Amino acid sequence: MARRNTNRRVGIADVARMAGVSHATVSRVMNGNAAVDPDIAARVRAAAAELKYQPNPVGRSLALGKTDTIGIVVPDLANPTFQAILRGLSIAAAQDGYRVLIADSSEVTSEEAILAGEARRRCDGVVLCAPRMGDAELEELAPTLHPLVLINRTTVASNTPSLSVDYSQGIQELATHLVSLGHRKIAYLEGPLHSASNRQRLAGLEQFQAKHPDIELQFLEAGSNFDSGHDATDAVVASGATGILAFNDLVAMGLLSGLHERGIRVPEDISVTGFDDIPFARYTMPPLTTAAVPINELGSLAWRRMREQMQQSADATEAEESAQDVFEPRIEIRRSTAPVSLPVG
Amino acid sequence: MARRNTNRRVGIADVARMAGVSHATVSRVMNGNAAVDPDIAARVRAAAAELKYQPNPVGRSLALGKTDTIGIVVPDLANPTFQAILRGLSIAAAQDGYRVLIADSSEVTSEEAILAGEARRRCDGVVLCAPRMGDAELEELAPTLHPLVLINRTTVASNTPSLSVDYSQGIQELATHLVSLGHRKIAYLEGPLHSASNRQRLAGLEQFQAKHPDIELQFLEAGSNFDSGHDATDAVVASGATGILAFNDLVAMGLLSGLHERGIRVPEDISVTGFDDIPFARYTMPPLTTAAVPINELGSLAWRRMREQMQQSADATEAEESAQDVFEPRIEIRRSTAPVSLPVG
DNA sequence: ACGCTCCGAGAAAACGCTTTCTCATTGATT
DNA sequence: AATCAATGAGAAAGCGTTTTCTCGGAGCGT
């Protein structure tokens, strides 16, 4: 015996007793599974209503082998990108009667695998955002998490869908935009060093450099949040670059603020670009030129891929090749970028 | 029988078989509950490790009568305030080994009660943010949700803790700040009409009016998001007010942007205040004068109250008077407010 | 050497539900 | 009128744990 019987919630047995039928019958009418005599069904329903009976989800989960819940693991819930993914996912999942369980790893990479595993055990599937997890660890982890959908990561086990943003392409377009405005000295404010999406941007810039050997491209350390952009202000000024590609909008905004404090005008003196097009990007002063990622769509597509995968593993039609969705960012030209001003002198 | 036995996950029975002991013993060593022979314990642990056994949380939940999960229902996950509460809650709860389950009512008030009930059944407790739910409905719902903690609402059933922000006080301080700058015509950009926190601000302004009968106070409809602030720009201009109290920072930012588009300078022509001090408030142009609510703290305190309550209902020490925490906003004077400019002429 | 106590492990019940299995009852068919 | 199929409800097993209950065996005292 597990718990004292005191204070029990109303259970299926109570309804059964009140309606004068067996548990089984109550279950049947609640789920509309098998044919049951209309009179009896009515009696059961009346009893259930009278007692305000609501099936215990834990019991159901155990019997059914599903929890109607999916987990999402994110590195940092303070990041607008993950907030937006979470939101898109949550809304889409809710439409199908699923809930989402959060696991915030607080940027502690070593916890991610554990959290993901735990989430998977509690839920019917996991959406994993783990930008800094090592590739090897991811490869090992992924099979144990199935159904799994990856965000901004891919795995060789090709039956796990992944959604990603083409950061390489986006950053190249932003860089090209700056060049088209006449900028010749460009600096990239790097994101976290081990972040997969930072690596993609670097790769994109390498391609860009190859195409534009005449452009002077510098790399400055920054990070992924507002403060790291703000802190990078001096380095930016020292670099002498006229066009700045920030890792993301947050970093760009921090930089904007730092430049403003030093009386450096944007875009007259320096052009700045962000990345992501978070909701606030259009309201900075000046409004931020950035690469727009349809992030809510990403959240809801994540759910769709998850659902597909849960269905096909229910059908036991295993190992189907899964979709690899890549979102092409669309650059959004606002007023933080402008033609380079004439060199003094 | 519920599911086909194919593809089963490794369960306690497998470990028991491998170690040559009973389920019970495995459970005992996994939980360190009773004394078990060190040799046997070692054998069990070895088997568990070998099979990578991880207890099924659903089974545990059923046996233990707890899920180690709490639910939070929010009206809109896009709102930075709720994002921050969620985050604070999630991090604090995680520290105690609890996870949080999200229920986003998407502003559909009629769904809130249902979502809350469902969340409660799935979880060990619920944090409820339901600013627009009717008082009567809340009174009826609250007892069924226990352990429950309310955000920005109170209930007469005084054994449910509630955390709230003193919006009345905050808005009065902001208004007083404007007055001290010489503003005599002030407009309040109202939030959603049925929102409890909007009502509190109105009440605060009523007190303010009583103290300052000479001030001309106008009420303009707006809403709770950026766009509603932006849309209210014309009305603001038409009102002739020189000091604007926006419902919250989002509305203020929208207004800032609208005013900027019309070439109206802030703070030279019009002073604007927000409410909440969301992270972006300090980075608007100009930085926004606002009332700072320690929102992360609110999230973590919500968890503490929840935990206290779960403990005391475990102790069966029922009906203890619960804490009603009210946070006093601290006004944060930035550059969106300034002395009123001399009337022309 | 016998009986008593104590320790520790297995058997089994319990958590709350779903679903298969089984069987009684009814209505139809020959 | 007697057999058969169909219908529908109850009994019971099963989901994966934890925990109580029970009991065998070892250690102790006399």
Side-chain angles (χ1 to χ4, degrees):
Chain A
M1 177 181 323
R3 229 187 343 168
R4 312 295 181 289
N5 250 6
T6 168
N7 242 347
R8 252 188 51 264
R9 269 187 121 65
V10 22
I12 203 173
D14 303 295
V15 179
R17 199 174 315 120
M18 180 160 184
V21 298
S22 68
H23 325 275
T25 302
V26 176
S27 171
R28 279 189 279 253
V29 349
M30 296 302 291
N31 297 290
N33 273 338
V36 13
D37 185 283
D39 288 355
I40 296 191
R43 227 162 65 215
V44 168
R45 262 186 278 273
E50 166 84 15
L51 298 171
K52 295 193 203 308
Y53 168 69
Q54 302 281 148
N56 175 325
V58 179
R60 290 196 93 224
S61 288
L62 188 59
L64 257 22
K66 58 184 261 209
T67 60
D68 291 344
T69 302
I70 61 168
I72 180 174
V73 357
V74 294
D76 180 12
L77 218 42
N79 186 319
T81 299
F82 299 119
Q83 289 170 352
I85 293 175
L86 169 60
R87 175 158 178 266
L89 182 73
S90 168
I91 291 178
Q95 237 127 37
D96 292 330
Y98 277 72
R99 299 276 163 269
V100 1
L101 191 78
I102 299 184
D104 182 342
S105 67
S106 299
E107 301 277 6
V108 184
T109 312
S110 57
E111 283 287 300
E112 288 174 336
I114 297 159
L115 285 176
E118 199 209 292
R120 179 58 186 87
R121 253 168 280 126
R122 273 184 153 66
C123 304
D124 300 343
V126 172
V127 174
L128 182 62
C129 309
R132 323 227 200 307
M133 179 181 289
D135 283 332
E137 190 177 11
L138 180 61
E139 290 304 332
E140 188 177 6
L141 186 64
T144 73
L145 258 30
H146 191 267
L148 167 70
V149 359
L150 288 173
I151 306 290
N152 274 333
R153 295 297 297 263
T154 52
T155 170
V156 292
S158 62
N159 69 330
T160 98
S162 98
L163 315 193
S164 47
V165 174
D166 192 344
Y167 292 106
S168 166
Q169 175 67 20
I171 201 87
Q172 286 183 67
E173 288 187 27
L174 287 170
T176 306
H177 166 65
L178 288 179
V179 169
S180 75
L181 290 172
H183 295 272
R184 292 294 172 265
K185 296 182 72 169
I186 295 178
Y188 170 57
L189 251 41
E190 291 201 45
L193 295 182
H194 295 293
S195 142
S197 81
N198 185 54
R199 290 201 304 265
Q200 281 186 48
R201 278 170 252 227
L202 288 173
L205 288 175
E206 205 169 313
Q207 288 183 35
F208 168 81
Q209 183 71 276
K211 274 188 243 165
H212 301 269
D214 53 316
I215 300 296
E216 181 183 331
L217 193 54
Q218 298 179 62
F219 297 86
L220 271 29
E221 278 187 28
S224 60
N225 56 29
F226 193 96
D227 288 335
S228 48
H230 192 268
D231 294 346
T233 309
D234 287 332
V236 164
V237 173
S239 76
T242 60
I244 313 295
L245 301 162
F247 173 68
N248 64 19
D249 290 342
L250 255 22
V251 172
M253 288 172 69
L255 177 63
L256 245 35
S257 149
L259 291 173
H260 183 76
E261 285 163 15
R262 285 167 183 66
I264 297 170
R265 295 165 306 162
V266 175
E268 292 81 356
D269 301 324
I270 289 187
S271 285
V272 174
T273 67
F275 210 113
D276 288 345
D277 195 26
I278 63 176
F280 288 104
R282 61 189 338 138
Y283 303 123
T284 56
M285 230 46 113
L288 194 62
T289 293
T290 191
V293 177
I295 197 75
N296 280 318
E297 201 180 315
L298 200 152
S300 62
L301 184 58
W303 168 244
R304 212 159 80 218
R305 295 296 178 227
M306 175 62 75
R307 196 184 44 194
E308 285 166 7
Q309 204 172 171
M310 296 192 312
Q311 280 168 353
Q312 84 186 37
S313 59
D315 302 346
T317 317
E318 285 292 350
E320 203 163 296
E321 194 80 5
S322 284
Q324 309 287 115
D325 301 286
V326 3
F327 288 80
E328 292 300 338
R330 182 176 39 78
I331 77 168
E332 199 66 59
I333 297 177
R334 302 210 178 93
R335 298 215 304 282
S336 67
T337 50
V340 68
S341 57
L342 295 177
V344 180
Chain B
M1 179 179 324
R3 230 185 343 168
R4 312 295 181 287
N5 249 8
T6 168
N7 242 349
R8 252 188 53 264
R9 267 188 121 66
V10 21
I12 204 174
D14 303 294
V15 179
R17 198 174 316 120
M18 180 162 185
V21 298
S22 68
H23 327 275
T25 302
V26 176
S27 171
R28 279 189 278 254
V29 349
M30 298 300 292
N31 298 290
N33 272 341
V36 14
D37 185 283
D39 290 355
I40 297 191
R43 228 163 63 216
V44 169
R45 261 187 278 273
E50 166 82 17
L51 298 172
K52 294 194 203 310
Y53 168 68
Q54 303 280 146
N56 175 326
V58 179
R60 289 197 95 222
S61 288
L62 188 58
L64 258 22
K66 55 183 259 191
T67 60
D68 292 345
T69 303
I70 60 169
I72 180 174
V73 358
V74 295
D76 180 12
L77 219 41
N79 185 320
T81 299
F82 299 120
Q83 290 170 351
I85 294 176
L86 169 60
R87 177 160 176 264
L89 183 73
S90 167
I91 290 178
Q95 237 126 37
D96 292 330
Y98 277 72
R99 299 276 160 269
V100 0
L101 191 78
I102 299 183
D104 183 340
S105 67
S106 299
E107 301 275 7
V108 185
T109 311
S110 58
E111 282 286 300
E112 288 174 337
I114 296 158
L115 286 176
E118 199 208 291
R120 178 58 186 87
R121 253 168 279 125
R122 273 183 152 67
C123 304
D124 299 344
V126 172
V127 173
L128 180 63
C129 309
R132 322 228 201 305
M133 179 181 289
D135 283 331
E137 190 176 11
L138 181 61
E139 290 304 331
E140 188 177 5
L141 186 63
T144 74
L145 258 30
H146 191 270
L148 165 71
V149 358
L150 287 172
I151 307 289
N152 274 332
R153 295 299 295 263
T154 53
T155 169
V156 292
S158 64
N159 68 330
T160 97
S162 97
L163 315 192
S164 47
V165 174
D166 191 344
Y167 292 105
S168 166
Q169 176 67 20
I171 201 85
Q172 285 183 67
E173 289 187 26
L174 287 170
T176 306
H177 166 64
L178 288 178
V179 169
S180 75
L181 290 171
H183 295 273
R184 292 295 173 264
K185 296 182 72 170
I186 295 178
Y188 169 57
L189 251 43
E190 291 200 47
L193 295 183
H194 294 293
S195 141
S197 80
N198 184 54
R199 289 201 305 264
Q200 281 185 48
R201 279 169 252 227
L202 288 173
L205 289 174
E206 204 169 314
Q207 288 183 36
F208 168 81
Q209 183 71 277
K211 275 187 243 166
H212 300 269
D214 52 315
I215 300 296
E216 181 183 330
L217 194 53
Q218 297 179 65
F219 298 86
L220 271 30
E221 277 187 31
S224 60
N225 56 28
F226 193 96
D227 288 334
S228 48
H230 192 267
D231 293 347
T233 309
D234 287 332
V236 164
V237 173
S239 76
T242 60
I244 312 296
L245 301 162
F247 174 68
N248 64 18
D249 290 343
L250 256 22
V251 172
M253 289 172 67
L255 176 62
L256 245 35
S257 149
L259 292 173
H260 183 77
E261 286 164 14
R262 284 167 184 68
I264 298 171
R265 295 165 307 161
V266 174
E268 292 83 354
D269 301 324
I270 290 187
S271 286
V272 174
T273 66
F275 211 114
D276 289 345
D277 195 25
I278 64 175
F280 287 104
R282 60 187 341 135
Y283 304 122
T284 55
M285 232 43 116
L288 193 62
T289 293
T290 190
V293 177
I295 197 75
N296 279 319
E297 201 180 313
L298 200 151
S300 61
L301 185 58
W303 168 244
R304 213 159 80 219
R305 296 294 177 230
M306 176 63 75
R307 196 183 45 193
E308 286 166 6
Q309 204 171 172
M310 296 192 312
Q311 280 167 352
Q312 84 185 37
S313 59
D315 302 347
T317 318
E318 286 291 349
E320 203 163 298
E321 194 78 5
S322 285
Q324 309 287 114
D325 301 286
V326 2
F327 288 79
E328 292 301 336
R330 182 176 39 76
I331 77 169
E332 199 67 61
I333 298 176
R334 303 210 178 93
R335 299 216 303 282
S336 67
T337 51
V340 67
S341 58
L342 295 178
V344 180

